[in-house]
Amino acid sequence: MFENLSDKLHDVFKKLRGETRLSEQNIADAMREIRLALIDADVNIETATEFVNAAREKCIGQEVIKSVTPAQQVVKIVNDQLIELLGGDASELRSENKPSVIMLVGLHGSGKTTTAGKLALKLRRDGKKVLLVAGDVYRPAAIDQLAIIGEEINVPVHVERTSVNVAAIALNAVKQAAKSGFDAVIIDTAGRLQIDDTMVQELVRIRQAVHPDEVLLVADAALGQEAVSVAEHFHKALDLTGFILTKLDGDARGGAALSIRRVTGVPVKFVGMGE
Ligand SMILES: Nc1nc2c(ncn2[C@@H]2O[C@H](COP(=O)(O)OP(=O)(O)OP(=O)(O)O)[C@@H](O)[C@H]2O)c(=O)[nH]1
Ligand SMILES: [Mg+2]
């Protein structure tokens, strides 16, 4: 996911290791290069600047220069900070309720429906009984797409073709899932090209109706810098609990993960690769 970025950081670190002693100037140079590498990986400028400022301060504060292994310490500080920015420990899906409810939201084409299938498959393999919910009711093709995925992975799909009240559909599905002993319900929702108000209002109604354990933003990694404003907007309206970055198999550079994490404070739960 961060191959390019790690290659570049590796080069910066190699250069540092070549110095027998480090000066504040060496460190400042290294930080400048790290900042450029981050921006090049699609991390937004503010996040990158904040990152290197904090790292530089730690390097100076910990008197890295005077230590016997200065380069190693800089590497450790930068690595630790990357881990901190990405949210520390790997984040698992919350499942306090039975069934636990996972709602997927995001822009048009970001990979919600595909991700719904991938998540359902993962949970099923973990031994969970999963129900998918077709919450993108405006296009019959969208319902069909999820129905086909459900068939392929052998997971039932809740479909109500005659209703456009998605909150009610979602609630029906959760009630039915509870009655039938399901462990998890995954709600696929409609996307839009832009974040318009009617779309967000519908999502808010679904959220209020079913009180999901997880509200996950599905974002296309190729959004790069733009991912930040999209994430901010969704987070403000929906109080996200996490996000999933998709299409990392393409030429996307993954930096969006760091930016989204920083502006929303919510963790990355999964990354999607492959259709
Ligand atoms: N390469 C790649 N393609 C993906 C990935 N996730 C989704 N896709 C593809 O991206 C396209 C859109 O995916 P969907 O899952 O339909 O996206 P969506 O968010 O449900 O789209 P709407 O319902 O139209 O809003 C499809 O052609 C998927 O096969 C991924 O991780 N990698
Ligand atoms: Mg879809």
Side-chain angles (χ1 to χ4, degrees), residues 112-113 136 139 145 188-189:
K112 295 176 295 299
T113 306
D136 183 355
R139 295 176 302 130
Q145 186 192 357
D188 182 29
T189 62

Side-chain angles (χ1 to χ4, degrees), residues 63-82:
E63 309 215 343
V64 165
I65 298 167
K66 289 183 203 153
S67 85
V68 236
T69 52
Q72 249 155 291
Q73 300 215 27
V74 174
V75 174
K76 184 172 186 310
I77 286 169
V78 172
N79 274 337
D80 286 354
Q81 208 181 314
L82 271 175

Side-chain angles (χ1 to χ4, degrees), residues 196-208 237:
D196 59 69
D197 257 1
T198 36
M199 172 207 191
V200 171
Q201 284 322 307
E202 178 181 279
L203 296 173
V204 170
R205 280 196 300 277
I206 302 172
R207 195 191 205 301
Q208 285 166 349

Side-chain angles (χ1 to χ4, degrees), residues 73-135:
Q73 300 215 27
V74 174
V75 174
K76 184 172 186 310
I77 286 169
V78 172
N79 274 337
D80 286 354
Q81 208 181 314
L82 271 175
I83 292 167
E84 193 188 308
L85 182 60
L86 264 177
D89 317 323
S91 204
E92 278 292 312
L93 288 174
R94 275 186 242 173
S95 58
E96 279 126 45
N97 300 310
K98 190 174 158 104
S100 60
V101 178
I102 301 160
M103 177 177 165
L104 300 178
V105 303
L107 295 184
H108 176 64
S110 58
K112 295 176 295 299
T113 306
T114 308
T115 302
K118 287 179 182 174
L119 278 182
L121 186 59
K122 180 199 179 292
L123 292 173
R124 208 205 67 198
R125 285 187 174 146
D126 290 346
K128 304 257 165 70
K129 202 173 160 193
V130 190
L131 180 66
L132 283 163
V133 183

